[in-house]
Amino acid sequence: MEQHTSAIAGLLSVGELAKFARVTRTTIRHYNNLKLITPALRDTNRYRYYSFREIAVINLIVTLRDLGVPLKTIVRLQQTRTPEKMVKLFEEQNGHIEEGIAKLRRSQKLLLTLKSIIENGIAVEEEKIEVHWAEAETILMGPQIDYSQGRSIEEATLDFYKYCKKLNPNLDLNYPVWGMYSEKRIKKGDWVGPDRFYFRMPDAPDEKPKGWYLTGYTRGNYGQSDALYRKLLDYAKAHDIEICGPAWEMYPLNEISIASPDDYLMRISMTVKNTAGKKRDRKNPP
């Protein structure tokens, strides 16, 4: 049984040092055997007692271990340490920390973006068609898609990923890929395969413009959009609404949150203006 420190003024037993340093007694003994820490005193029963200075040493060792520095490296450094070597080590590890923080920030942005998209999908009235004002959104827009020579949508999607990677090798490609269709193709009734792919993501270089949009929803797998496009065009004609820009496809509820592809939720938003000249404001669109 360990002697209490009250008998050894100002020193800590193995158990007390473990408590203050927030490690186990086994860890204390292991570090002692590796000569990473040194007892200040051994009593007649050969119990070890340590000074409070060892707490700082242990905390540094634990911090370096948490950062992935091997224990053998720490032992070697302990045996040959100099101020210059310690400064170099801390600079290197701080660089790793900054990289880790940046990675966590990217992950956080992705999760929060996906969370927002899914929450919006849950909240929609799926049968409702509406004209609404939307603020600008940051996106990463891909190049014009070339479908010549029988190129498939899958090939075009791969080209989009390659384009994004070339644009920024460190870009997070985990955001969902959606499509933009030109006004010309919408009016032609040609909406098989988008004109461009895009990511909706924070800090992106491009922008989906603010403005008025005619929006509707449908359930189904990717590409099952024909009925919704026709429904939106019929609505626009019946309400004297002019299509004046591209349509934007997105899937608020897709493979991220839905098990069956037949239950995915698609949203189509067409850029519109009021050809009848009716007054329209952002709070009370017709």
Side-chain angles (χ1 to χ4, degrees), residues 103-117:
K103 184 176 180 180
L104 288 173
R105 291 294 186 196
R106 289 195 297 270
S107 298
Q108 183 183 46
K109 287 180 181 180
L110 172 64
L111 294 180
L112 290 178
T113 298
L114 295 177
K115 174 177 175 288
S116 174
I117 291 169

Side-chain angles (χ1 to χ4, degrees), residues 270-283:
M270 297 181 177
T271 310
V272 299
K273 67 179 179 181
N274 180 17
T275 56
K278 298 176 183 178
K279 185 177 180 181
R280 180 179 291 161
D281 61 62
R282 300 180 191 182
K283 293 184 179 179

Side-chain angles (χ1 to χ4, degrees), residues 9-46:
L11 296 180
L12 302 174
S13 67
V14 171
E16 288 171 322
L17 179 57
K19 180 179 179 181
F20 280 112
R22 294 172 296 178
V23 295
T24 65
R25 295 186 185 193
T26 301
T27 298
I28 297 294
R29 295 189 180 98
H30 185 45
Y31 289 173
N32 185 91
N33 293 337
L34 293 174
K35 298 185 176 7
L36 289 171
I37 58 175
T38 304
L41 177 69
R42 277 195 171 194
D43 67 8
T44 54
N45 294 318
R46 300 192 62 77

Side-chain angles (χ1 to χ4, degrees), residues 8 15 21 23 35 47 73 78 85 96 130 148 153 155 160 162 186 199 205 221 226 239 242 257 265:
I8 310 290
V23 295
K35 298 185 176 7
Y47 288 123
T73 300
Q78 183 82 341
K85 287 183 178 180
H96 296 327
E130 64 173 347
S148 65
I153 292 178
E155 289 173 309
F160 173 66
K162 290 179 179 177
I186 296 167
F199 282 134
N221 202 346
D226 187 76
H239 292 81
E242 181 183 352
S257 58
L265 179 68

Side-chain angles (χ1 to χ4, degrees), residues 177-219:
V177 179
W178 293 323
M180 186 272 283
Y181 293 73
S182 69
E183 176 186 350
K184 180 180 179 180
R185 289 187 58 204
I186 296 167
K187 291 180 176 178
K188 276 181 60 178
D190 175 16
W191 38 72
V192 178
D195 289 277
R196 294 185 175 190
F197 289 117
Y198 71 96
F199 282 134
R200 177 186 164 189
M201 60 192 304
D203 307 320
D206 306 309
E207 186 176 86
K208 176 188 172 186
K210 64 183 178 182
W212 291 101
Y213 291 90
L214 173 63
T215 295
Y217 298 86
T218 190
R219 291 277 180 169

